[in-house]
Amino acid sequence: MRPAKNIVLASSSPYRRELLQRIGLEFDTDRPDIDETAAAGESPPDLVRRLAQEKAAAVAPRHPNALIIGSDQVADHDGVIVGKPANHQDAVNQLRQASGRTVTLYTGLALLDARSGRVQSAVEPFSVVFRELDDDLIERYLRAEEPYNCCGSLRAEGAGISLLKALRGDDPNALIGLPLIRLCEMLKQENVELF
């Protein structure tokens, strides 16, 4: 069995950190510094899988004996990749585009054993159906929640849930950015006991 202190979350996201704490895992965090630009023609699932693996690999040299968790998320708005908003107007535009539509969020997950180089990876889709959003509702939500560090400007664990009328997916944690069901399966493969 691997001691819990040898687990590193390759992320500075407070949301991912909070999710990981829910399963009783002791871990450190380390911010990866990678280029998150999509390659030409790269699909949303391929992009998040690649970025999750690259994030884990980026911090591996600093944690050569650790299991490293990498994750990334993008939204797919009718074939257009949408990440975090660049500013307030970008957030408005993202939510206008999502209004009345089904948006699929793809979350890439990677678990890298820095000692062996073994990588487990997965992509977890989760779809949300937005209500019809008028500009007044969008502005009130953005003022209240300030979701500028959230994919697609949706902070579903907060006031953003009020913008939605349906959720479709296997793991609600994937909506927030870290698919815990799949991660627990991966950790079990590495003989990590959660509690």
Side-chain angles (χ1 to χ4, degrees):
M1 183 184 320
R2 179 183 298 267
K5 67 180 180 179
N6 286 332
I7 296 178
V8 175
L9 175 62
S11 176
S12 59
S13 165
Y15 311 116
R16 289 191 179 106
R17 189 168 47 248
E18 182 181 321
L19 284 172
L20 199 51
Q21 289 168 341
R22 290 182 189 176
I23 59 174
L25 200 62
E26 291 183 28
F27 61 95
D28 293 318
T29 59
D30 193 346
R31 181 186 178 108
D33 184 20
I34 66 165
D35 180 359
E36 298 187 28
T37 306
E42 193 169 31
S43 70
D46 289 344
L47 172 63
V48 294
R49 183 185 302 270
R50 176 177 62 81
L51 292 179
Q53 291 174 354
E54 287 182 5
K55 286 178 177 182
V59 304
R62 297 189 292 270
H63 308 278
N65 296 311
L67 281 176
I68 302 171
I69 301 165
S71 188
D72 194 76
Q73 184 179 66
V74 297
D76 182 348
H77 287 208
D78 296 325
V80 176
I81 294 174
V82 176
K84 297 173 186 172
N87 52 44
H88 178 82
Q89 189 56 51
D90 193 28
V92 170
N93 294 339
Q94 287 181 352
L95 292 170
R96 281 179 181 160
Q97 184 182 26
S99 176
R101 295 183 170 177
T102 299
V103 172
T104 300
L105 294 106
Y106 291 96
T107 304
L109 175 65
L111 183 64
L112 168 65
D113 183 333
R115 283 189 289 200
S116 69
R118 177 181 180 218
V119 179
Q120 298 179 65
S121 68
V123 175
E124 193 74 30
F126 198 95
S127 295
V128 295
V129 182
F130 278 84
R131 295 173 30 209
E132 294 289 338
L133 309 177
D134 61 35
D135 284 351
D136 183 56
L137 174 59
I138 290 171
E139 288 293 345
R140 287 195 326 269
Y141 162 70
L142 292 175
R143 277 194 308 274
E145 198 63 66
E146 298 183 352
Y148 304 114
N149 61 348
C150 298
C151 175
S153 304
L154 177 63
R155 187 160 183 249
E157 69 277 23
I161 198 71
S162 67
L163 306 179
L164 305 176
K165 62 180 182 179
L167 304 175
R168 299 181 184 138
D170 293 332
D171 186 347
N173 301 295
L175 175 59
I176 303 169
L178 190 64
L180 292 180
I181 293 173
R182 186 66 63 94
L183 177 61
C184 289
E185 293 169 2
M186 291 178 175
L187 290 168
K188 185 177 179 182
Q189 292 296 316
E190 294 292 343
N191 299 311
V192 173
E193 290 187 8
L194 299 174
F195 45 85

